[in-house]
């Protein structure tokens, strides 16, 4: 019987991992299935562009995996049973169940409401294609002078506010920051960021926590009312509760606790990659939820799966966070390097050069997903072990 590998999620981590596994493992021994809720690969890093009305081409996953041997199941994951080694799904074909021998959990994350009243009912976000399209429709209906409030001073909030202000100068864009805008950046990069906000006419409310969201305004912690025809919530991410409900060991964040090889510490036949993995980086801190972390963790997870199944030595993939690359519209950006303690270095790159570099990164990531097996060793490895119930393996 073939070894069944099921990959949950076809985002930056899951899509590339599935292609890597297909390239390296012999189809005579393995069967790889990817489960994803939508038929396209969604470039999450560009969803703020989609929301403001820019035309983006989405790659069909069927085309991405064509010729790789990877099976695509379009369905939403509703549960994982790590004791029975099954995944329950629901989709156009109804409810179903998939059995696995090895599971790679890469379901990513969504917006974190933090229990703030009115966010779920009245706020928009850019953490998925459907929410971004919903926001796109709402923004298209706003006339000149319409007010948009972006809540959150992280990377998503900054990129969203600047993209909206540049693309729609007829709108009044405001950003609410709990702390100081760009506080983590180096002094020069922080000045660059503020100049960009001033140039784009974005109003910033620093040290302003939002306590409630209403249809036409947001209420700050001090009682201040901030007008907003549209409130965009970008105050953090949260993982789906499926992992915690399944009995897998998770952190307080709900992320799956993994060892250095991205293997679940509680269930050895389960691996995690991307935002849903609680992975400790080389600096001893959890890796942040980011596209870069998705790349590192998926490479480590696939390398470990391949090595364990084929009897090879598990290579070590670096788990280091190098810095932040922040788009400030289409013609400006900031590239800020950080040290081993994730403190900003004094040097940064800004302006059009940084914008071109960010554009190249986005195009490269998209191209890599569209060609998931490119550049990988062509050797199809046969399995050296027959996996036992513990996921360790016995001699075949």
């Amino acid at each position: 019987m073939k070894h069944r590998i099921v990959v949950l999620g076809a985002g930056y981590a899951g899509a590339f991992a599935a292609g890597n596994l297909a390239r390296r493992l012999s189809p005579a021994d393995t069967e790889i299935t990817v489960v994803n809720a939508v038929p396209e690969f969604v470039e999450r890093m560009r969803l703020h562009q989609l929301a403001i009305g820019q035309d983006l081409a989405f790659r069909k996953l069927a085309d991405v995996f064509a010729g790789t041997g990877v099976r695509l199941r379009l369905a939403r994951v509703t549960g994982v049973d790590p004791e029975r080694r099954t995944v329950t799904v629901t989709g156009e074909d109804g409810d179903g169940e998939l059995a696995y021998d090895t599971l790679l959990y890469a379901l990513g994350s969504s917006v974190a409401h933090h229990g703030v009243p009115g966010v779920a009912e009245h706020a928009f976000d850019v953490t998925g294609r459907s929410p971004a399209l919903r926001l796109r429709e709402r923004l298209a209906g706003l006339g000149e002078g319409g007010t948009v409030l972006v809540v959150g001073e992280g990377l998503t909030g900054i990129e969203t506010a600047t993209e909206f202000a540049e693309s729609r100068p007829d709108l009044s864009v405001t950003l609410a920051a709990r702390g100081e805008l760009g506080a983590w950046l180096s002094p020069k990069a922080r000045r660059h960021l503020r100049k960009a906000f001033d140039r784009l006419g974005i109003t910033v409310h620093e040290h302003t926590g939002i306590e409630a969201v209403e249809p036409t305004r947001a209420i700050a912690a001090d009682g201040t009312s901030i007008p907003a025809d549209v409130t965009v919530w970008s105050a953090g991410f949260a993982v789906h509760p499926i992992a915690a409900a399944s009995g897998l060991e998770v952190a307080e964040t709900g992320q799956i606790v993994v060892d250095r090889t991205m293997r679940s510490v509680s269930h050895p036949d389960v691996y995690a990659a991307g935002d849903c993995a609680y992975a400790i980086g080389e600096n001893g801190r959890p890796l942040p939820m980011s596209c870069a972390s998705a790349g590192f963790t998926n490479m480590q997870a696939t390398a470990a799966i391949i090595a364990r199944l084929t009897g090879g030595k598990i290579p070590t993939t670096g788990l280091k966070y190098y810095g932040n690359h922040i788009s400030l519209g289409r013609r400006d950006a900031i590239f800020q390097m950080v040290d081993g303690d994730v403190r900003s270095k004094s040097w940064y790159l800004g302006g059009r050069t940084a914008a071109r570099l960010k554009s190249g990164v986005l195009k490269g990531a998209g191209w890599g997903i569209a060609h998931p097996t490119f550049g990988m060793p062509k050797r199809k490895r046969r399995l050296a072990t027959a996996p036992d119930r513990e996921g360790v393996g016995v001699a075949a």
Side-chain angles (χ1 to χ4, degrees):
M1 182 178 179
K2 292 184 179 182
H3 186 89
R4 300 160 299 183
I5 301 175
V6 175
V7 180
L8 303 184
Y12 291 105
F16 191 81
N20 191 349
L21 292 167
R23 179 69 168 236
R24 303 290 297 279
L25 296 172
S26 171
D29 299 328
T30 55
E31 178 183 286
I32 303 169
T33 302
V34 174
V35 182
N36 201 61
V38 296
E40 301 90 6
F41 168 69
V42 176
E43 292 186 77
R44 183 166 174 174
M45 292 190 295
R46 301 182 67 190
L47 287 177
H48 55 289
Q49 295 176 246
L50 177 67
I52 199 59
Q54 297 174 25
D55 293 327
L56 303 180
F58 289 91
R59 296 172 175 85
K60 294 287 187 181
L61 289 172
D63 295 336
V64 168
F65 295 123
T68 66
V70 174
R71 300 182 179 187
L72 177 62
R73 177 71 179 268
L74 295 177
R76 181 171 57 85
V77 179
T78 57
V80 175
D81 187 338
E83 303 305 327
R84 295 177 56 239
R85 290 193 290 187
T86 59
V87 177
T88 55
V89 300
T90 185
E92 293 183 357
D93 299 329
D95 298 340
E97 186 175 87
L98 295 173
Y100 66 83
D101 298 303
T102 296
L103 179 70
L104 178 55
Y105 190 110
L107 289 179
S109 62
S110 59
V111 66
H113 294 166
H114 300 300
V116 175
V119 172
E121 296 83 3
H122 307 301
F124 296 79
D125 67 82
V126 291
T127 60
R129 186 185 181 191
S130 293
L133 288 174
R134 176 172 165 261
L135 174 56
R136 180 187 179 111
E137 182 178 2
R138 179 71 181 94
L139 290 172
L142 284 184
E144 184 175 354
T147 55
V148 177
L149 170 65
V150 178
V151 180
E153 70 273 28
L155 304 185
T156 302
I158 290 173
E159 292 196 336
T160 299
T162 52
E163 195 76 47
F164 286 11
E166 180 182 86
S167 297
R168 290 285 305 273
D170 60 311
L171 300 178
S172 175
V173 180
T174 299
L175 184 139
R178 277 193 170 273
E180 178 186 349
L181 180 66
W184 73 93
L185 295 171
S186 63
K188 290 182 179 179
R190 196 179 311 142
R191 286 195 293 271
H192 185 112
L193 177 64
R194 289 185 176 277
K195 287 181 180 179
F197 268 62
D198 290 341
R199 170 173 51 83
L200 294 168
I202 302 170
T203 301
V204 181
H205 294 283
E206 294 183 309
H207 308 290
T208 302
I210 300 301
E211 297 291 315
V213 175
E214 298 179 359
T216 59
R217 64 174 185 169
I219 309 300
D222 62 1
T224 301
S225 175
I226 303 177
D229 296 317
V230 174
T231 296
V232 183
W233 194 261
S234 58
F237 304 113
V239 298
H240 200 286
I242 285 177
S246 72
L248 292 165
E249 183 171 336
V250 299
E252 291 183 2
T253 57
Q255 296 168 289
I256 298 173
V257 180
V258 295
D259 63 15
R260 183 59 179 77
T261 68
M262 302 302 117
R263 197 182 204 179
S264 164
V265 298
S266 62
H267 293 79
D269 42 21
V270 176
Y271 293 77
D275 287 355
C276 57
Y278 188 80
I280 304 301
E282 294 175 9
N283 60 5
R285 303 177 183 179
L287 289 175
M289 295 184 184
S290 68
C291 183
S293 297
F296 300 144
T297 55
N298 102 67
M299 287 189 290
Q300 180 62 79
T302 52
I305 291 171
I306 292 166
R308 287 193 171 108
L309 292 181
T310 60
K313 181 180 179 181
I314 300 175
T316 299
T317 299
L319 299 177
K320 184 177 180 181
Y321 196 71
Y322 291 94
N324 298 313
H325 205 161
I326 315 164
S327 294
L328 305 174
R330 295 299 86 210
R331 297 180 293 276
D332 194 5
I334 290 173
F335 183 55
Q336 175 70 72
M337 297 290 288
V338 299
D339 61 19
D341 293 320
V342 200
R343 293 177 300 195
S344 293
K345 295 182 178 180
S346 59
W347 178 88
Y348 90 101
L349 182 67
R352 289 183 179 270
T353 301
R356 286 193 289 267
L357 178 59
K358 178 64 180 284
S359 177
V361 169
L362 293 174
K363 289 179 181 178
W367 192 92
I369 293 297
H371 304 81
T373 62
F374 180 81
M376 296 295 167
K378 295 182 179 180
R379 178 187 173 194
K380 298 281 188 178
R381 299 186 181 183
R382 299 297 300 268
L383 300 197
T385 61
D388 64 9
R389 188 63 187 88
E390 298 303 317
V392 176
V394 295

